[in-house]
């Protein structure tokens, strides 16, 4: 007999005997006596059958629940992007087949994901050289004396847009490296305070244009970080760039450095609109941008990749990036990284 038919017969037999058992017990309780001795036998048989059915149901449920929970666990991991996970085989045929189909789907999605990463990496890589060439030709052309004021302004606009395009291409390259787990960190001891000063200096022009004050509190002693200096500068550049972009005009940027046990904490605080509490984590997702609160905010350029890259880089170095404050109070970003261990 096929297994599903067998289950239907078992369930039907259990239901009939359970009903008879309940009826006879109820009659007995009400004092109805039975002359036929079969009724007693039926009651004993019914009890034994009930116990057997309960035990059988317990084991059958276990047989089904275990593979089901590993399937659910697998689906949860796939939803988190862990497409390399495979669901283990099950002894229940239908669940086994479901696991096999899900594994095939994950393998196919994993293949497509790898293809997408490769495509992004290759396209971004190929775009880098022509973009750099265009930038240098435009800058060269801008030095020509014969250029009219209007042409110079137009070239300046092209130059700005090329710079944005280059940043986007670099971000995409970073994302593809992070996805392919190819981020290589070369940690060394370096003075983080110097990296902070240099990163702030690079933004001095934009800070002046928006009349932003900069307050640096880098403490005494100049502690050394144990991390990749170039990647640290990239994270600092992103946090400071955001503090400039999303700040109010005439606002302030406060950068401080402190040491907590074996880690250094860089705090970047601004006087912008702040971040709603429910979005403090979401802003670290790729391409996530908060809806602009004002028409001026809608004109701020960005693609929503900087923070996700910064957090991945910080974590690859053994640190982290977190956002802390809510709306109205400006935003505070904490960048933690390992301190150099005492020799
Ligand atoms: P981008 O700035 O290119 O949009 P990011 O990943 O750096 O990308 O930031 C993601 C989003 O987080 C931004 O679009 C913005 O909505 C929000 N955000 C980041 N930094 C700040 C800040 N200092 N103040 C307010 N909002 C911010």
């Amino acid at each position: 007999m096929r297994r599903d038919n067998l289950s239907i017969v078992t369930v039907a037999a259990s239901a009939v005997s359970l009903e008879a058992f309940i009826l006879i017990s109820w009659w007995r309780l009400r004092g109805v006596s039975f002359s036929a001795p079969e009724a007693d036998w039926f009651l004993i048989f019914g009890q034994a059958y009930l116990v057997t059915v309960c035990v059988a149901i317990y084991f059958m449920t276990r047989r089904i629940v275990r593979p089901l929970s590993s399937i659910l666990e697998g689906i949860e991991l796939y939803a988190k992007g862990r497409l390399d996970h495979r669901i283990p085989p099950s002894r229940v045929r239908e669940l086994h087949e479901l696991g096999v189909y899900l594994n095939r789907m994950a393998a196919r999605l994993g293949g497509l994901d790898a293809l997408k990463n490769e495509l992004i990496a290759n396209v971004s890589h190929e775009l880098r050289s022509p973009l750099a060439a265009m930038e240098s030709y435009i800058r060269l052309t801008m030095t020509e004396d014969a250029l009219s004021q209007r042409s110079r302004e137009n070239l300046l606009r092209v130059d700005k847009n090329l710079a944005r395009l280059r940043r986007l291409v670099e971000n995409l390259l970073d994302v593809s490296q992070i996805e392919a787990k190819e981020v290589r960190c070369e940690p060394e001891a370096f003075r983080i305070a110097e990296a902070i000063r240099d990163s702030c200096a690079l933004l001095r022009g934009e800070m002046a244009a928006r009349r932003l004050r900069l307050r640096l509190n880098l403490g005494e002693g100049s502690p050394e970080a144990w991390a990749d200096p170039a990647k640290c500068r990239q994270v600092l550049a992103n946090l400071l760039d955001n503090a400039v972009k999303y700040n109010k005009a005439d606002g302030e940027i406060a950068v401080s450095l402190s040491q907590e046990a074996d880690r250094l904490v860089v705090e970047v605080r601004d006087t912008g609109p702040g971040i709603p509490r429910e979005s403090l984590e979401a802003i670290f997702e790729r391409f996530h941008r908060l809806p602009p609160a004002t028409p001026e905010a809608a004109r701020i350029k960005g693609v929503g990749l900087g923070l996700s890259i910064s957090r991945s880089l910080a974590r690859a170095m053994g640190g982290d990036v977190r956002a802390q404050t809510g709306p109205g109070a400006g935003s505070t970003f904490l960048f933690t990284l390992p301190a150099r261990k005492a020799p």
Side-chain angles (χ1 to χ4, degrees), residues 238 242-243 245-246 270 273-275 283 288-290 301-308 331 333:
N238 171 243
N242 282 351
K245 272 198 307 191
Y246 299 104
D270 65 52
I275 295 157
I283 53 169
H288 190 100
R289 304 198 75 212
L290 298 178
K301 303 276 189 288
V303 281
L305 283 175
L307 285 179
S308 113
S331 308
F333 283 86

Side-chain angles (χ1 to χ4, degrees), residues 295-329:
E296 297 84 67
R299 284 197 287 275
I300 300 174
K301 303 276 189 288
V303 281
L305 283 175
L307 285 179
S308 113
I309 294 171
S310 294
R311 178 173 267 186
S312 302
L313 294 181
R315 287 185 176 175
M317 291 187 285
D320 203 357
V321 178
R322 282 178 292 119
Q324 245 190 3
T325 37

Side-chain angles (χ1 to χ4, degrees), residues 253-275:
I253 297 174
V255 185
S256 64
L257 172 65
S258 56
Q259 180 155 10
E260 288 174 9
D262 55 355
R263 55 184 206 147
L264 302 178
V265 185
V266 182
E267 188 181 297
V268 180
R269 190 189 288 260
D270 65 52
T271 46
I275 295 157

Side-chain angles (χ1 to χ4, degrees), residues 149-206:
Q149 182 62 20
R150 198 189 166 102
S151 307
R152 199 176 296 279
E153 279 168 14
N154 287 342
L155 284 178
L156 207 64
R157 273 192 208 109
V158 176
D159 187 47
K160 267 191 180 169
N161 282 293
L162 276 177
R164 271 184 60 204
L165 208 57
R166 183 173 38 78
R167 272 201 299 277
L168 175 65
V169 165
E170 277 161 9
N171 279 346
L172 287 175
L173 261 176
D174 287 336
V175 168
S176 63
Q177 275 179 359
I178 290 165
E179 284 272 317
K181 301 191 175 47
E182 279 174 5
V183 180
R184 269 191 297 277
C185 287
E186 283 160 22
E188 60 181 77
F190 69 99
R191 295 194 193 288
I192 185 77
E194 273 169 32
I196 295 173
R197 275 196 204 94
D198 292 347
S199 309
C200 289
L202 288 176
L203 284 166
R204 197 146 285 159
E206 277 153 73

Side-chain angles (χ1 to χ4, degrees), residues 127-145:
L127 280 173
R128 247 185 359 179
S129 321
L131 275 175
M134 280 152 86
E135 273 186 311
S136 58
Y137 278 117
I138 283 184
R139 280 175 197 168
L140 199 68
T141 317
M142 278 199 291
T143 57
E144 283 176 17
D145 295 335

